[in-house]
Amino acid sequence: MVGSKKYSKRRLAGRYVLATLLLLVMVYPYLYMVLNSFADWAQVDRQLVPSKFSLKSYEWLLTGGEVGIARPWMNAFFNSVIVSVASTFLMMLFGIMVAYALSKLKFRGRDTVNNFVLFHMFFPAIILLIPNFLIIQKVGLYDTYWAMIIPKAISLWAIFMYTNFFKAVPDAFIEAAKLDGASDFKILYKIMLPMSKSITAVIFLFLLMERWTELLWDMIVVRSDNMLTLNVLLSQMFGPYGSYPGPLYAASVLLTVPIIIMFAIFGKKFKEGMQFSLK
Amino acid sequence: MNKQNNKLGWLFASPYIIFGLVFFLGPLLWSLYLSFTNWDLIAPEFDFVGLDNFRKAMAAPGVQSAFWVTYKFMMLFVPLVTAMSLAVAVVIQGLPKFKSVYLIGFFLPYLSSGVVASLIVQGFLSYNSPVNEFLRGTFGINIDWLGSPFSALFIVGLILAWKFTGYYALILTSGLESIDKEVYEAAAIDGVTDRQRFWKITLPLLYPALYTTLILSFGVTFGIFTEVYQLTGGGPNFATNTWQMEIFNQAFTNLQAGYASAIAIMASIVTFISIFVIRKLLESWGKRNGWV
């Protein structure tokens, strides 16, 4: 426990055991997923730990197996990558730009915009689902990548986080840079961004994760089989693949691994940023 | 300088301003308008029906269930996730080494997609799964996990708790870390027991962080969709029918855009008021105990 050195070694060991047990319970579903994706098909969902393994499930990911179009899984994977990367990039870019304006550029109407962002944030998003879908349909973006990217190009949360963070950067830095003849773009790029590295890791990971696992929106604005994202395809295959759960587990692994890799890359910065953002 | 700042400010803020008008303010008004019509998402003509949609929605079992199911999820999910994340935070707090390894391990479930979590749980609880084989073989009982109202609700609540525990534990851990260690040392001198220390010192000082996780977890219950859509479709007999599920069904399955808009507005109002009341209750609860 906090700050006390009086705990005996035995109690400390007990703590590690307890923490490890808790962790095992928490990550067991992931293990179950990975094991089943490699399991022989006769054993999928039949054993806690399979004893016979095969790569057939992954083969199906590459070939499409007996169901649906030729290579639906890999195609969906690339759709997911395109949509998530574009969307996350825009959310970051616009988040930083707008936050810089709201925190450091004194323009007329700033308070109004600021209040509008807060008003927007407090509004339950569900009310916008139907009209936003109709807008996409009316402007002819239905069933395109743009339908999945444009309405998800702005994250209020990112704007909010960056605005709070930039406010904490002393104005003196910016004024000094301006005296040296730096433009606002340069200030943003050379001062604000490097200073916000750890918070950027947090915002980036949360945005990417949420975009990558989005279901409802991607599901309603896209219809063609070759346009689906991996998450939507997985969701739709629940039925048709009912008797072939193996490939579904393999697809789940395919859907989970990239985000874990990103998390591993930015993990250290992420922890710093979390601690900062929670203060 | 000032004029230039003005221009630049609007330029930098313009992505949001355009987005806010096109994808928020416009749609908001459109949604209000639609809610007074009987539009079916396809036909070019539709009628203005006044408050009919709202009247119809209030009496509909789907909407009534959505209203209550949210609070049922709340009663299951919030205590569950709070207890779990508190337990995780307290257990890893005292670890001198590998604390961040554990923290990241606990955070992993948060990265998973709701579809993946649903798939795993469905497989895990399928008729021939090891769990059910064990229950059948040992106790001779057969549980239709997703087919009976309470267990279906419980399972969705459990998936959500699994997902959010690590995230909230992270918040609570930094809350614990910010507690002044001298308080504990003083308490140790006074001979305080472990239990007293937790209830009288840790919990009150942790309250700000706990408040954050409570508000977040209450908020989660108003936006449940993926797990329910995937596992139960809102059933059995509306037992897991959330607001989002009902709106999705009415708009995109039954193609009643006007009616669904009315439900969306009702859902927003209910969410807004509920969150407001919950905030006030939490604040006054904290104040009454002298925690804030």
Side-chain angles (χ1 to χ4, degrees):
Chain A
M1 203 59 196
V2 193
S4 97
K5 289 161 199 121
K6 294 193 191 77
Y7 275 148
S8 62
K9 272 194 180 151
R10 185 189 279 185
R11 277 190 87 164
L12 198 59
R15 246 165 208 285
Y16 272 106
V17 171
L18 197 58
T20 310
L21 279 177
L22 271 173
L23 188 63
L24 280 178
V25 171
M26 291 292 283
V27 296
Y28 175 72
Y30 272 148
L31 290 177
Y32 186 80
M33 166 183 86
V34 174
L35 288 170
N36 273 308
S37 74
F38 285 108
D40 188 83
W41 282 15
Q43 294 189 334
V44 174
D45 284 336
R46 295 290 182 275
Q47 289 181 343
L48 286 181
V49 179
S51 54
K52 275 166 80 184
F53 297 94
S54 92
L55 284 173
K56 200 173 166 195
S57 297
Y58 287 93
E59 235 179 86
W60 271 43
L61 280 197
L62 293 169
T63 61
E66 293 166 25
V67 185
I69 51 174
R71 299 175 67 241
W73 297 107
M74 298 322 284
N75 188 23
F77 178 80
F78 289 117
N79 287 343
S80 270
V81 171
I82 292 166
V83 168
S84 311
V85 169
S87 217
T88 310
F89 173 76
L90 290 175
M91 286 193 276
M92 296 295 290
L93 178 75
F94 291 150
I96 291 164
M97 272 172 68
V98 175
Y100 185 67
L102 294 181
S103 60
K104 292 291 175 210
L105 295 172
K106 294 181 187 72
F107 61 96
R108 211 178 310 130
R110 184 171 82 170
D111 290 343
T112 315
V113 178
N114 231 329
N115 289 334
F116 195 73
V117 172
L118 289 177
F119 174 69
H120 189 167
M121 259 182 98
F122 274 107
F123 236 90
I126 185 68
I127 202 169
L128 305 171
L129 185 73
I130 298 163
N132 279 351
F133 166 77
L134 295 173
I135 290 174
I136 291 301
Q137 223 178 20
K138 286 248 186 299
V139 297
L141 290 179
Y142 181 72
D143 209 20
T144 63
Y145 287 134
W146 297 115
M148 294 186 274
I149 294 169
I150 295 174
K152 301 255 173 204
I154 290 257
S155 157
L156 291 167
W157 176 73
I159 294 176
F160 180 74
M161 294 291 278
Y162 269 120
T163 306
N164 281 350
F165 187 86
F166 289 166
K167 271 184 186 159
V169 176
D171 283 335
F173 283 167
I174 294 167
E175 264 138 43
K178 280 211 171 132
L179 284 178
D180 288 343
S183 68
D184 280 281
F185 288 97
K186 206 165 181 187
I187 292 169
L188 197 49
Y189 183 67
K190 292 264 179 177
I191 300 178
M192 303 304 260
L193 277 186
M195 285 186 85
S196 54
K197 246 187 210 159
S198 51
I199 191 100
T200 297
V202 173
I203 295 174
F204 171 72
L205 282 173
F206 270 86
L207 291 181
L208 183 71
M209 187 273 295
E210 271 177 23
R211 191 64 197 88
W212 181 257
T213 58
E214 171 70 43
L215 178 69
L216 182 52
W217 181 254
D218 293 354
M219 190 165 85
I220 62 174
V221 294
V222 157
R223 176 193 44 204
S224 318
D225 285 341
N226 61 350
M227 289 295 298
L228 303 177
T229 62
L230 187 52
N231 200 39
V232 177
L233 181 69
L234 187 62
S235 159
Q236 290 194 351
M237 286 298 185
F238 255 59
Y241 270 60
S243 42
Y244 306 104
L248 290 179
Y249 283 112
S252 300
V253 172
L254 191 64
L255 188 66
T256 311
V257 164
I259 212 80
I260 290 183
I261 290 175
M262 294 311 277
F263 193 74
I265 294 173
F266 294 104
K268 205 163 166 249
K269 276 271 165 285
F270 176 82
K271 211 187 155 251
E272 289 167 22
M274 270 309 266
Q275 273 165 349
F276 181 88
S277 65
L278 296 171
K279 260 173 202 163
Chain B
M1 193 70 179
N2 226 342
K3 230 177 200 168
Q4 196 201 340
N5 241 350
N6 239 335
K7 231 193 230 162
L8 208 64
W10 282 102
L11 179 72
F12 271 49
S14 61
Y16 172 70
I17 295 169
I18 295 166
F19 185 88
L21 292 176
V22 176
F23 290 108
F24 175 59
L25 208 56
L28 193 63
L29 299 174
W30 197 355
S31 200
L32 273 172
Y33 170 73
L34 278 180
S35 71
F36 296 113
T37 70
N38 64 356
W39 192 41
D40 66 357
L41 209 58
I42 296 164
E45 313 86 37
F46 49 85
D47 292 323
F48 200 74
V49 295
L51 288 170
D52 268 11
N53 283 331
F54 292 92
R55 242 175 263 135
K56 195 173 128 200
M58 295 243 202
V63 176
Q64 285 176 356
S65 65
F67 180 82
W68 292 112
V69 161
T70 310
Y71 301 111
K72 285 183 198 162
F73 268 126
M74 210 177 262
M75 280 160 67
L76 259 167
F77 168 72
V78 176
L80 203 62
V81 80
T82 306
M84 278 163 68
S85 53
L86 202 56
V88 167
V90 168
V91 168
I92 45 181
Q93 172 58 25
L95 304 179
K97 274 182 193 163
F98 306 121
K99 195 158 97 182
S100 45
V101 176
Y102 277 104
L103 265 180
I104 286 177
F106 281 111
F107 190 76
L108 282 183
Y110 187 68
L111 303 176
S112 90
S113 144
V115 180
V116 171
S118 305
L119 175 80
I120 295 168
V121 165
Q122 199 186 42
F124 195 67
L125 298 175
S126 64
Y127 184 79
N128 287 318
S129 77
V131 176
N132 283 328
E133 290 287 359
F134 171 78
L135 288 176
R136 249 195 310 275
T138 323
F139 304 106
I141 45 171
N142 240 326
I143 303 176
D144 185 7
W145 294 99
L146 297 169
S148 27
F150 179 75
S151 65
L153 194 75
F154 182 75
I155 282 171
V156 176
L158 202 65
I159 295 176
L160 291 169
W162 172 72
K163 180 167 180 171
F164 285 96
T165 292
Y167 179 19
Y168 296 165
L170 212 60
I171 298 177
L172 293 176
T173 312
S174 27
L176 285 173
E177 272 168 4
S178 67
I179 296 175
D180 195 349
K181 290 171 179 50
E182 283 173 22
V183 182
Y184 287 108
E185 276 156 24
I189 294 166
D190 289 344
V192 168
T193 64
D194 279 2
R195 187 175 297 177
Q196 278 175 330
R197 189 169 64 177
F198 179 76
W199 290 104
K200 303 277 178 188
I201 302 172
T202 308
L203 212 52
L205 289 174
L206 188 62
Y207 189 71
L210 204 56
Y211 176 79
T212 309
T213 63
L214 282 170
I215 290 287
L216 287 176
S217 55
F218 277 114
V220 165
T221 51
F222 289 95
I224 302 174
F225 175 75
T226 306
E227 291 79 5
V228 164
Y229 171 78
Q230 216 55 255
L231 285 174
T232 65
N237 195 22
F238 294 127
T240 55
N241 197 42
T242 61
W243 282 115
Q244 304 227 6
M245 195 66 225
E246 181 65 18
I247 293 163
F248 171 81
N249 269 338
Q250 295 303 341
F252 300 103
T253 312
N254 299 346
L255 301 180
Q256 296 188 309
Y259 179 55
S261 294
I263 299 175
I265 287 166
M266 287 168 70
S268 301
I269 294 169
V270 167
T271 307
F272 206 81
I273 294 174
S274 302
I275 297 273
F276 183 79
V277 170
I278 288 163
R279 263 175 191 272
K280 286 289 163 216
L281 285 177
L282 279 177
E283 273 161 26
S284 72
W285 182 54
K287 271 195 193 118
R288 204 172 45 237
N289 286 300
W291 291 348
V292 270

PDB file of all heavy atoms in Angstrom, chain B residues 2-13:
ATOM      1  N   ASN B   2      -3.474  42.552 -35.001  1.00  0.00           N
ATOM      2  CA  ASN B   2      -4.757  42.117 -34.508  1.00  0.00           C
ATOM      3  C   ASN B   2      -5.657  41.581 -35.622  1.00  0.00           C
ATOM      4  O   ASN B   2      -6.313  40.559 -35.475  1.00  0.00           O
ATOM      5  CB  ASN B   2      -5.451  43.282 -33.794  1.00  0.00           C
ATOM      6  CG  ASN B   2      -6.023  42.802 -32.473  1.00  0.00           C
ATOM      7  OD1 ASN B   2      -6.183  41.597 -32.289  1.00  0.00           O
ATOM      8  ND2 ASN B   2      -6.330  43.718 -31.580  1.00  0.00           N
ATOM      9  N   LYS B   3      -5.632  42.311 -36.723  1.00  0.00           N
ATOM     10  CA  LYS B   3      -6.462  41.913 -37.856  1.00  0.00           C
ATOM     11  C   LYS B   3      -6.010  40.573 -38.411  1.00  0.00           C
ATOM     12  O   LYS B   3      -6.810  39.720 -38.760  1.00  0.00           O
ATOM     13  CB  LYS B   3      -6.370  42.998 -38.946  1.00  0.00           C
ATOM     14  CG  LYS B   3      -7.755  43.425 -39.438  1.00  0.00           C
ATOM     15  CD  LYS B   3      -7.654  44.530 -40.436  1.00  0.00           C
ATOM     16  CE  LYS B   3      -8.960  45.262 -40.542  1.00  0.00           C
ATOM     17  NZ  LYS B   3      -8.836  46.503 -41.292  1.00  0.00           N
ATOM     18  N   GLN B   4      -4.685  40.440 -38.444  1.00  0.00           N
ATOM     19  CA  GLN B   4      -4.120  39.203 -38.959  1.00  0.00           C
ATOM     20  C   GLN B   4      -4.504  38.032 -38.068  1.00  0.00           C
ATOM     21  O   GLN B   4      -4.847  36.952 -38.537  1.00  0.00           O
ATOM     22  CB  GLN B   4      -2.593  39.361 -39.005  1.00  0.00           C
ATOM     23  CG  GLN B   4      -1.906  38.313 -39.875  1.00  0.00           C
ATOM     24  CD  GLN B   4      -0.452  38.183 -39.497  1.00  0.00           C
ATOM     25  OE1 GLN B   4       0.123  39.073 -38.878  1.00  0.00           O
ATOM     26  NE2 GLN B   4       0.151  37.085 -39.859  1.00  0.00           N
ATOM     27  N   ASN B   5      -4.465  38.295 -36.763  1.00  0.00           N
ATOM     28  CA  ASN B   5      -4.855  37.273 -35.804  1.00  0.00           C
ATOM     29  C   ASN B   5      -6.301  36.842 -35.995  1.00  0.00           C
ATOM     30  O   ASN B   5      -6.643  35.675 -35.891  1.00  0.00           O
ATOM     31  CB  ASN B   5      -4.676  37.816 -34.382  1.00  0.00           C
ATOM     32  CG  ASN B   5      -3.668  36.984 -33.612  1.00  0.00           C
ATOM     33  OD1 ASN B   5      -3.256  35.930 -34.069  1.00  0.00           O
ATOM     34  ND2 ASN B   5      -3.269  37.467 -32.460  1.00  0.00           N
ATOM     35  N   ASN B   6      -7.146  37.849 -36.261  1.00  0.00           N
ATOM     36  CA  ASN B   6      -8.552  37.600 -36.501  1.00  0.00           C
ATOM     37  C   ASN B   6      -8.755  36.623 -37.646  1.00  0.00           C
ATOM     38  O   ASN B   6      -9.475  35.639 -37.548  1.00  0.00           O
ATOM     39  CB  ASN B   6      -9.231  38.915 -36.866  1.00  0.00           C
ATOM     40  CG  ASN B   6     -10.335  39.228 -35.878  1.00  0.00           C
ATOM     41  OD1 ASN B   6     -10.869  38.315 -35.267  1.00  0.00           O
ATOM     42  ND2 ASN B   6     -10.649  40.489 -35.723  1.00  0.00           N
ATOM     43  N   LYS B   7      -8.071  36.918 -38.749  1.00  0.00           N
ATOM     44  CA  LYS B   7      -8.195  36.096 -39.954  1.00  0.00           C
ATOM     45  C   LYS B   7      -7.687  34.693 -39.691  1.00  0.00           C
ATOM     46  O   LYS B   7      -8.341  33.707 -40.003  1.00  0.00           O
ATOM     47  CB  LYS B   7      -7.347  36.742 -41.059  1.00  0.00           C
ATOM     48  CG  LYS B   7      -8.107  36.944 -42.373  1.00  0.00           C
ATOM     49  CD  LYS B   7      -7.127  37.271 -43.458  1.00  0.00           C
ATOM     50  CE  LYS B   7      -7.526  38.488 -44.255  1.00  0.00           C
ATOM     51  NZ  LYS B   7      -6.390  39.045 -45.001  1.00  0.00           N
ATOM     52  N   LEU B   8      -6.518  34.635 -39.091  1.00  0.00           N
ATOM     53  CA  LEU B   8      -5.876  33.360 -38.830  1.00  0.00           C
ATOM     54  C   LEU B   8      -6.707  32.517 -37.862  1.00  0.00           C
ATOM     55  O   LEU B   8      -6.852  31.305 -38.031  1.00  0.00           O
ATOM     56  CB  LEU B   8      -4.482  33.605 -38.242  1.00  0.00           C
ATOM     57  CG  LEU B   8      -3.463  32.511 -38.516  1.00  0.00           C
ATOM     58  CD1 LEU B   8      -3.184  32.402 -39.996  1.00  0.00           C
ATOM     59  CD2 LEU B   8      -2.184  32.802 -37.756  1.00  0.00           C
ATOM     60  N   GLY B   9      -7.274  33.192 -36.861  1.00  0.00           N
ATOM     61  CA  GLY B   9      -8.115  32.498 -35.885  1.00  0.00           C
ATOM     62  C   GLY B   9      -9.288  31.823 -36.571  1.00  0.00           C
ATOM     63  O   GLY B   9      -9.553  30.646 -36.348  1.00  0.00           O
ATOM     64  N   TRP B  10      -9.952  32.559 -37.436  1.00  0.00           N
ATOM     65  CA  TRP B  10     -11.098  31.984 -38.155  1.00  0.00           C
ATOM     66  C   TRP B  10     -10.649  30.873 -39.097  1.00  0.00           C
ATOM     67  O   TRP B  10     -11.321  29.861 -39.234  1.00  0.00           O
ATOM     68  CB  TRP B  10     -11.859  33.056 -38.929  1.00  0.00           C
ATOM     69  CG  TRP B  10     -12.725  33.858 -38.020  1.00  0.00           C
ATOM     70  CD1 TRP B  10     -12.477  35.111 -37.544  1.00  0.00           C
ATOM     71  CD2 TRP B  10     -13.969  33.445 -37.436  1.00  0.00           C
ATOM     72  NE1 TRP B  10     -13.490  35.504 -36.695  1.00  0.00           N
ATOM     73  CE2 TRP B  10     -14.409  34.517 -36.618  1.00  0.00           C
ATOM     74  CE3 TRP B  10     -14.732  32.289 -37.512  1.00  0.00           C
ATOM     75  CZ2 TRP B  10     -15.592  34.435 -35.886  1.00  0.00           C
ATOM     76  CZ3 TRP B  10     -15.911  32.213 -36.791  1.00  0.00           C
ATOM     77  CH2 TRP B  10     -16.333  33.272 -35.984  1.00  0.00           C
ATOM     78  N   LEU B  11      -9.488  31.062 -39.713  1.00  0.00           N
ATOM     79  CA  LEU B  11      -8.969  30.041 -40.619  1.00  0.00           C
ATOM     80  C   LEU B  11      -8.702  28.735 -39.868  1.00  0.00           C
ATOM     81  O   LEU B  11      -9.141  27.662 -40.287  1.00  0.00           O
ATOM     82  CB  LEU B  11      -7.673  30.537 -41.275  1.00  0.00           C
ATOM     83  CG  LEU B  11      -7.005  29.541 -42.227  1.00  0.00           C
ATOM     84  CD1 LEU B  11      -7.806  29.403 -43.505  1.00  0.00           C
ATOM     85  CD2 LEU B  11      -5.576  29.953 -42.539  1.00  0.00           C
ATOM     86  N   PHE B  12      -8.029  28.869 -38.727  1.00  0.00           N
ATOM     87  CA  PHE B  12      -7.700  27.673 -37.953  1.00  0.00           C
ATOM     88  C   PHE B  12      -8.945  27.023 -37.361  1.00  0.00           C
ATOM     89  O   PHE B  12      -8.989  25.810 -37.200  1.00  0.00           O
ATOM     90  CB  PHE B  12      -6.714  28.029 -36.820  1.00  0.00           C
ATOM     91  CG  PHE B  12      -5.272  27.948 -37.229  1.00  0.00           C
ATOM     92  CD1 PHE B  12      -4.830  28.563 -38.385  1.00  0.00           C
ATOM     93  CD2 PHE B  12      -4.367  27.237 -36.463  1.00  0.00           C
ATOM     94  CE1 PHE B  12      -3.510  28.489 -38.771  1.00  0.00           C
ATOM     95  CE2 PHE B  12      -3.029  27.144 -36.830  1.00  0.00           C
ATOM     96  CZ  PHE B  12      -2.603  27.775 -37.980  1.00  0.00           C
ATOM     97  N   ALA B  13      -9.920  27.836 -37.002  1.00  0.00           N
ATOM     98  CA  ALA B  13     -11.127  27.275 -36.386  1.00  0.00           C
ATOM     99  C   ALA B  13     -12.126  26.790 -37.427  1.00  0.00           C
ATOM    100  O   ALA B  13     -13.093  26.107 -37.090  1.00  0.00           O
ATOM    101  CB  ALA B  13     -11.769  28.310 -35.473  1.00  0.00           C
TER     102      ALA B  13
END
